[in-house]
Amino acid sequence: EFNRKVHVTQEDLTPTSRTEVIRGWDNTGLSPACVLSYLTTTGQWRVFKEFCFEDTGIMEAAEAVIIWCNTMLPPGTKYTDYGDPAGRIRDTSKMSARDYLVMKAREMGHDLWLIDGIQTWKVRRNSVATRLNQIRNGQPAFLISEYGCPILVEGFEGGYSYREIANLPGMYAEEAIKNKYSHPHDALQYPATRLFMNSNI
């Protein structure tokens, strides 16, 4: 469903006036990711910034994202946060990735409430794919900035891929291969499952 000519812009889509920013979080091990987006008044979903971390804990990642948001986005910006429901799984200290994320945010004076996205792969994929096929006010319903989201764009162009099933040519596993593209794409999909799965917003 993805088409570079339709869905990608070279422009910086970072909002310059106060708006509600949607943050999607993927808390996978030491490779967390966060994707920032917003809806325009005409209903276009604009994806403007990705954070892809390696060998980084969720608390360090949260700190980096929050500092960027506080520095680069207009004062008074509101946030709605969506994440992986598997982030509720606790470690030996009885803390979950979600707990660590929320704790770090609040430690920084940033009130963060994480809404569970839907984990089911088909729902996640279709929530984004449906958006790619829609038009809003004569414009594509999905627009992504290559300036702010180069890994996501590369993922849409083939980096985010599926393993072909042995002895079944043309048949692919349902879940994407875990690589540097899968984490930001997961982070993009969680808010999509709640915003677009059952609506025409």
Side-chain angles (χ1 to χ4, degrees):
E1 296 88 351
F2 183 78
N3 184 325
R4 168 178 277 272
K5 292 181 179 177
V6 174
H7 299 117
V8 179
T9 179
Q10 300 299 316
E11 295 177 32
D12 180 0
L13 295 177
T14 304
T16 55
S17 58
R18 189 169 61 186
T19 189
E20 181 181 343
V21 168
I22 300 158
R23 292 187 296 208
W25 299 85
D26 182 59
N27 304 327
T28 306
L30 293 176
S31 301
C34 184
V35 173
L36 275 56
S37 63
Y38 60 96
L39 288 166
T40 68
T41 55
T42 59
Q44 184 181 64
W45 188 25
R46 293 187 170 184
V47 183
F48 67 92
K49 180 68 177 176
E50 65 184 24
F51 295 86
C52 305
F53 299 95
E54 292 184 13
D55 296 319
T56 305
I58 187 59
M59 291 182 78
E60 293 173 84
E63 183 174 11
V65 172
I66 291 166
I67 288 172
W68 189 92
C69 289
N70 288 344
T71 305
M72 304 302 294
L73 296 178
T77 295
K78 302 291 185 184
Y79 300 93
T80 305
D81 295 275
Y82 299 85
D84 182 353
R88 290 181 178 273
I89 297 171
R90 297 183 174 190
D91 63 18
T92 53
S93 68
K94 302 197 176 188
M95 292 274 286
S96 66
R98 167 191 299 270
D99 294 331
Y100 286 119
L101 173 60
V102 171
M103 184 170 69
K104 172 53 74 172
R106 292 181 182 168
E107 187 181 290
M108 299 175 70
H110 195 90
D111 205 15
L112 188 154
W113 297 91
L114 207 60
I115 301 167
D116 284 344
I118 294 174
Q119 181 62 273
T120 309
W121 172 82
K122 285 185 178 179
V123 172
R124 286 166 39 202
R125 185 201 179 282
N126 290 342
S127 295
V128 175
T130 299
R131 199 70 184 171
L132 292 170
N133 283 328
Q134 294 178 347
I135 299 293
R136 287 287 179 276
N137 201 35
Q139 298 293 320
F142 177 92
L143 189 65
I144 185 168
S145 168
E146 187 169 29
Y147 171 83
C149 307
I151 302 299
L152 277 169
V153 172
E154 287 178 22
F156 273 120
E157 294 190 314
Y160 184 74
S161 57
Y162 305 86
R163 178 181 53 81
E164 191 169 24
I165 299 172
N167 303 318
L168 291 172
M171 298 292 291
Y172 295 86
E174 287 194 346
E175 293 199 23
I177 297 167
K178 289 296 182 185
N179 56 24
K180 73 174 185 177
Y181 304 105
S182 62
H183 305 305
H185 272 270
D186 288 351
L188 180 71
Q189 291 164 6
Y190 292 128
T193 63
R194 293 302 183 187
L195 294 170
F196 310 126
M197 184 179 69
N198 294 317
S199 75
N200 292 314
I201 294 175

